Amino acid sequence: FNYSGHLFNSMYESVRHPNGILYAAVGSAHDLYQSTYLTDSRIDGADGEVKFSGDNGLTWQVLRDFNHEVFAVALDPTNPNRLYAGVVHSTAGGFYRTDTLQNGAGASWIRLTSPPRTQGHPFMLRVLQDASLVCTYSGHRDAGGNFMAVSGLFVSQDYGQTWIDRSDPNMLYWTKDIVIDPTDPAQNTWYVCVFSGWGGAPNGKGGLYRTLNRGLSWQRLNSLDRV
């Protein structure tokens, strides 16, 4: 593809800074959070970084080597020097933040508090115009293949120091994407995609869900098996 500096298997997400620099989440494990990549044994050995490019992706450099899979990146519209990254690992996983992005590879990072119930499988993070954080954690299966109730949607209003669990009961096992409705200027309307598991409690949870009040209540728009 005529680019250099990115040799990992997967680039999961990229964002463009207002100054034109691209930031990307990359990792060695593919198919993350699909049915075969939900156990710690399949994920913990993965490697990953946050990379950046100043030439529209032609060349990539290392912003931060986390030594674990990186699945998500998100910029803060209220602070040009703040970037979040989602790192996947059973003990070191979660969302990380830098407030010194202007320092490039010399930026300092802190690990945010983990939302309640979660165990190191972050999926997606969105930063609202008021700097509130909305994130999802995805599926997690134990060594026996059983789904664990550690997935869902969480909200923070203090930059990730504390989190509120805003999950619908059907989001506890295998939540995926969150989309902030771009036609709602107040950013109160969100759509969340959920997969249905198998073998007990995860059954029949899949579908597309919508909230009009930032997760205080949810409407299930359809019951498709996996969205």
Side-chain angles (χ1 to χ4, degrees):
F1 297 101
N2 198 32
Y3 60 77
S4 63
H6 167 45
L7 297 176
F8 284 88
N9 181 284
S10 300
M11 180 178 288
Y12 281 106
E13 186 172 30
S14 64
V15 293
R16 184 185 294 275
H17 195 280
N19 64 16
I21 294 178
L22 294 172
Y23 296 94
V26 303
S28 60
H30 62 83
D31 292 347
L32 201 62
Y33 303 135
Q34 298 302 310
S35 60
T36 56
Y37 274 85
L38 293 177
T39 61
D40 290 336
S41 62
R42 294 300 303 271
I43 292 174
D44 279 1
D47 192 11
E49 300 170 346
V50 174
K51 290 185 175 291
F52 70 98
S53 172
D55 55 11
N56 290 315
L58 184 63
T59 55
W60 292 93
Q61 302 176 64
V62 179
L63 180 73
R64 171 76 176 195
D65 183 357
F66 281 98
N67 296 309
H68 304 299
E69 188 91 3
V70 183
F71 190 77
V73 284
L75 291 162
D76 186 336
T78 72
N79 186 335
N81 294 318
R82 182 174 294 142
L83 180 73
Y84 295 89
V87 177
V88 185
H89 188 269
S90 61
T91 58
F95 287 104
Y96 288 70
R97 186 188 80 223
T98 179
D99 295 325
T100 56
L101 187 58
Q102 73 276 13
N103 294 336
S108 58
W109 293 77
I110 62 170
R111 184 184 180 187
L112 307 185
T113 302
S114 296
R117 298 189 296 103
T118 61
Q119 293 186 13
H121 286 198
F123 189 91
M124 186 173 285
L125 178 74
R126 294 292 176 255
V127 188
L128 304 185
Q129 295 297 330
D130 62 4
S132 296
L133 305 182
V134 187
C135 77
T136 55
Y137 272 66
S138 197
H140 198 153
R141 296 167 68 192
D142 64 20
N146 303 302
F147 281 85
M148 305 166 66
V150 295
S151 179
L153 179 136
F154 307 89
V155 176
S156 176
Q157 297 174 323
D158 55 12
Y159 307 103
Q161 296 183 67
T162 61
W163 296 88
I164 303 168
D165 191 342
R166 289 278 174 83
S167 308
D168 181 270
N170 288 341
M171 297 177 187
L172 302 185
Y173 292 95
W174 206 355
T175 301
K176 293 279 193 169
D177 305 69
I178 177 171
V179 177
I180 310 300
D181 188 340
T183 68
D184 179 358
Q187 295 190 304
N188 294 327
T189 305
W190 310 337
Y191 294 86
V192 173
C193 304
V194 179
F195 271 29
S196 182
W198 59 86
N203 289 353
K205 310 295 186 184
L208 180 65
Y209 295 77
R210 181 181 65 187
T211 178
L212 303 177
N213 51 21
R214 297 197 174 195
L216 294 175
S217 60
W218 293 92
Q219 177 188 8
R220 190 179 190 181
L221 300 182
N222 67 55
S223 56
L224 296 174
D225 197 42
R226 297 190 177 98
V227 178

